Amino acid sequence: MNTEIKDNWTQIIEFLKENYDVIDVLYRTWILPLEVISESDTDAMIAIDEARQGDIINLIDKRYKIPLQTSIEAITGKSVEIEFVSKKSVPENEGVSSYYNTEDVKTKSIEEKYPFLRSGQSFVNFVVSSSNQLAHAAAVAVAENPNGQMYNPLFLYSGPGLGKTHLMHSISRYIIENHPEYKIRYTTSENFTNDVVTSIRESKSNNKSAMTELRDKYRNVDVLLIDDIQFIIDKESTLQEFFHTFEELFQTGRQLVISSDKPPSEMDGLEDRYKTRFASGLPVDIKPPDYETALAILMQKQDESDVKLSNDILSYIASNARHSIRELKGAYNKVILFSKLTRSSEDITLDMAENALKDFISDNAEIRLTAEYIIDIVCSHFHVDKDILLSDRRTDELVYPRQIAMYLCSQYTSLTQQVIAQKLKRKNHTTVQHGVKKIKDSLPVDNELQMDIIMLKKKLNVN
Ligand code: ADP
Ligand code: MG
């Protein structure tokens, strides 16, 4: 069997990166996840992980096919024709990668020129994980190709504090830095509304050019990013103006990026044709961070800070404050502030941190766990496919996580054993009874089991 390409893959992509000046963020987003599926003397098949990277086969093919072929030839001496294929979505990988510190940011002058940009909000310091990787990959793709042809509109949605604005700023910054020929405008719904209201008022008081100026501002651009669109839904004239702007830009192939607190289909009060329009590009959501992501974000904050917190404390914050990243950062800042205020000469202890966060954390109503959520977390913890966990197969590698899932469901939901059995696709509730007992009996004596349960409880955010 031919494996030269696979065996030398790391060198090949490093060669590519160096010789074709692939910048770090693109390298990590587009090149690193590629995988060699098969190879012969004349061909190679390379998989793109759509779950992580989005639908970018055409783009990768266009930009990297020849460079990759050249790199393969340079490293292995083989001249092959590459075909890119889409990898069937594999179970989600829990890896967390951070672009922090990997790239030089040309700050200052850009921020002076574009005062709307929030400092420190770029792809470089956006922590990528399973909860946001698709949104991130799509944002990178659009930033790299802001020609309205990748995903148009790119529609980002999530609950508050999960990174929509951060991504929109990252896209803006990236385009400003790398594609200065594109004219971009970022605006919040609030600013847009203010502009519309002012223009309408001025045009009524005889300023003939007010509306023209407004249109020039928002329509004479290549890329328009509008943040928190939900706030203009019930503002009739603003909404009208926005749709006309949207249509004009969209029809002429300009790029739109929109953020919202919900997907287009759930935007009550929005006409159906606009829901359809909004959903016609790529609607992509961001989920609350899992434990690993939360921890990675805290580590990143820690790198920027002069006060260092122990791992215990970081882990405590990560497991207790992750409804949103804003909350997570708030909790972290609170502990830091606390430690500065107490000016304790010793390191701050977990007790002190818990104390500092008392109000903060008890404010968060406990999340209600569902069996489905527990099963998902167990599957990802043990790297087993959900379908397989729920199947009839009875190997040890499956029985163990299955029993743990039974145990966690019985501890942290109010479901009956009957229902737990149904959720886990077991025929009989005595299977659940047996499974739960097995775990309970082994727990006091089995270290490995204890570790798994501790980790899982952290991931589930329960005590
Ligand atoms: P949203 O617009 O969805 O309400 P923001 O983009 O304002 O949320 O994010 C809230 C805070 O969390 C900001 O400080 C932002 O920089 C930070 N943040 C969000 N997602 C990430 C991430 N993946 N990595 C690092 N920081 C993040
Ligand atoms: Mg926001």
Side-chain angles (χ1 to χ4, degrees):
M1 212 173 90
N2 249 313
T3 59
E4 279 146 287
I5 300 182
K6 206 173 183 145
D7 294 345
N8 293 291
W9 188 242
T10 311
Q11 276 150 280
I12 292 172
I13 58 177
E14 275 166 8
F15 182 93
L16 171 86
K17 180 170 195 277
E18 250 159 56
N19 290 278
Y20 290 89
D21 290 331
V22 184
I23 64 167
D24 226 76
V25 62
L26 297 183
Y27 179 72
R28 283 169 182 258
T29 312
W30 289 351
I31 307 299
L32 268 185
L34 297 178
E35 206 180 295
V36 185
I37 299 279
S38 65
E39 57 183 285
S40 69
D41 286 337
T42 51
D43 300 277
M45 200 180 270
I46 294 181
I48 292 176
D49 185 351
E50 279 199 14
R52 282 177 68 186
Q53 303 182 272
D55 176 14
I56 51 160
I57 289 202
N58 287 339
L59 188 121
I60 298 232
D61 191 83
K62 209 161 87 203
R63 288 182 60 116
Y64 296 111
K65 186 173 171 173
I66 305 286
L68 254 181
Q69 288 178 176
T70 313
S71 307
I72 290 174
E73 189 161 358
I75 302 293
T76 65
K78 281 171 71 167
S79 158
V80 293
E81 173 78 18
I82 291 181
E83 187 191 348
F84 291 102
V85 294
S86 149
K87 184 156 80 176
K88 263 217 134 336
S89 35
V90 284
E92 246 175 36
N93 125 11
E94 287 208 329
V96 173
S97 71
S98 159
Y99 298 139
Y100 180 62
N101 257 350
T102 53
E103 215 190 5
D104 196 26
V105 205
K106 305 164 216 151
T107 39
K108 269 279 157 39
S109 61
I110 283 188
E111 271 148 26
E112 273 159 15
K113 221 163 136 198
Y114 299 90
F116 78 85
L117 287 176
R118 291 194 201 164
S119 74
Q121 300 214 342
S122 66
F123 288 128
V124 176
N125 44 29
F126 188 84
V127 175
V128 183
S129 76
S130 54
S131 56
N132 59 25
Q133 64 192 10
L134 202 52
H136 170 262
V140 171
V142 164
E144 177 56 12
N145 293 269
N147 53 12
Q149 285 172 22
M150 281 303 300
Y151 308 114
N152 207 15
L154 172 60
F155 192 100
L156 303 169
Y157 66 93
S158 76
L162 293 176
K164 299 181 295 294
T165 301
H166 190 136
L167 280 179
M168 294 186 105
H169 280 256
S170 308
I171 297 174
S172 308
R173 183 182 287 271
Y174 188 94
I175 297 175
I176 291 166
E177 286 177 349
N178 296 284
H179 304 290
E181 70 281 15
Y182 281 87
K183 193 163 165 191
I184 78 152
R185 182 165 296 285
Y186 165 90
T187 186
T188 59
S189 297
E190 203 183 357
N191 284 339
F192 186 76
T193 305
N194 287 343
D195 278 354
V196 173
V197 172
T198 312
S199 304
I200 293 177
R201 199 177 49 226
E202 284 186 7
S203 70
K204 280 190 182 140
S205 64
N206 260 339
N207 176 352
K208 293 252 162 28
S209 61
M211 288 316 277
T212 321
E213 279 164 24
L214 176 79
R215 284 172 191 161
D216 186 55
K217 179 169 175 186
Y218 290 104
R219 300 187 194 185
N220 188 11
V221 297
D222 301 305
V223 184
L224 178 66
L225 304 102
I226 181 154
D227 207 351
D228 288 325
I229 192 85
Q230 71 272 17
F231 294 129
I232 64 170
I233 297 289
D234 54 358
K235 302 200 175 76
E236 195 50 41
S237 45
T238 308
L239 192 60
Q240 280 305 324
E241 183 59 34
F242 178 69
F243 284 133
H244 289 135
T245 308
F246 181 96
E247 275 309 299
E248 183 166 334
L249 293 176
F250 188 78
Q251 296 301 347
T252 50
R254 260 86 57 81
Q255 180 69 47
L256 289 129
V257 182
I258 301 175
S259 83
S260 168
D261 64 346
K262 39 179 118 46
S265 58
E266 286 171 24
M267 295 178 77
D268 295 339
L270 190 65
E271 279 179 47
D272 281 349
R273 59 193 171 123
Y274 292 124
K275 288 185 185 168
T276 316
R277 263 281 190 263
F278 282 172
S280 67
L282 181 71
V284 53
D285 69 332
I286 306 178
K287 300 200 176 61
D290 51 24
Y291 173 74
E292 284 82 0
T293 311
L295 200 59
I297 289 170
L298 294 177
M299 306 268 203
Q300 175 183 302
K301 288 221 50 124
Q302 174 107 313
D303 282 343
E304 297 163 5
S305 158
D306 46 352
V307 181
K308 303 290 175 218
L309 301 177
S310 70
N311 288 343
D312 276 3
I313 297 179
L314 293 183
S315 155
Y316 175 76
I317 302 175
S319 35
N320 286 288
R322 58 189 156 88
H323 297 86
S324 86
I325 294 174
R326 192 173 290 131
E327 172 188 283
L328 185 73
K329 290 188 163 177
Y332 178 88
N333 289 339
K334 199 155 178 205
V335 176
I336 296 284
L337 181 70
F338 179 83
S339 87
K340 285 191 173 154
L341 288 178
T342 55
R343 288 183 188 283
S344 71
S345 51
E346 288 139 56
D347 285 346
I348 166 162
T349 64
L350 181 58
D351 272 355
M352 288 156 82
E354 282 181 14
N355 199 23
L357 291 177
K358 215 167 45 209
D359 300 336
F360 204 96
I361 283 177
S362 57
D363 274 354
N364 298 320
E366 213 179 297
I367 332 170
R368 286 209 6 195
L369 294 179
T370 60
E372 286 77 10
Y373 184 67
I374 294 177
I375 294 170
D376 281 347
I377 297 287
V378 169
C379 286
S380 85
H381 179 78
F382 291 106
H383 304 286
V384 284
D385 205 78
K386 191 165 167 178
D387 290 340
I388 298 179
L389 189 92
L390 300 183
S391 73
D392 288 338
R393 279 165 47 189
R394 298 185 50 181
T395 54
D396 286 352
E397 296 89 87
L398 292 172
V399 170
Y400 179 67
R402 213 177 266 149
Q403 289 181 335
I404 288 187
M406 292 171 187
Y407 168 79
L408 292 170
C409 288
S410 78
Q411 297 289 304
Y412 299 106
T413 71
S414 49
L415 303 174
T416 61
Q417 293 190 334
Q418 213 107 31
V419 178
I420 297 174
Q422 281 164 15
K423 300 278 182 194
L424 281 155
K425 300 242 158 66
R426 301 297 103 186
K427 290 191 192 74
N428 206 319
H429 79 277
T430 51
T431 317
V432 175
Q433 201 169 24
H434 169 77
V436 173
K437 182 167 183 316
K438 179 82 199 302
I439 298 296
K440 278 190 176 159
D441 290 347
S442 317
L443 206 46
V445 290
D446 182 340
N447 281 338
E448 199 176 321
L449 176 63
Q450 285 164 11
M451 283 312 295
D452 279 327
I453 297 286
I454 289 174
M455 275 314 290
L456 281 161
K457 280 165 67 176
K458 277 195 175 140
K459 292 180 178 183
L460 291 167
N461 201 9
V462 291
N463 296 310

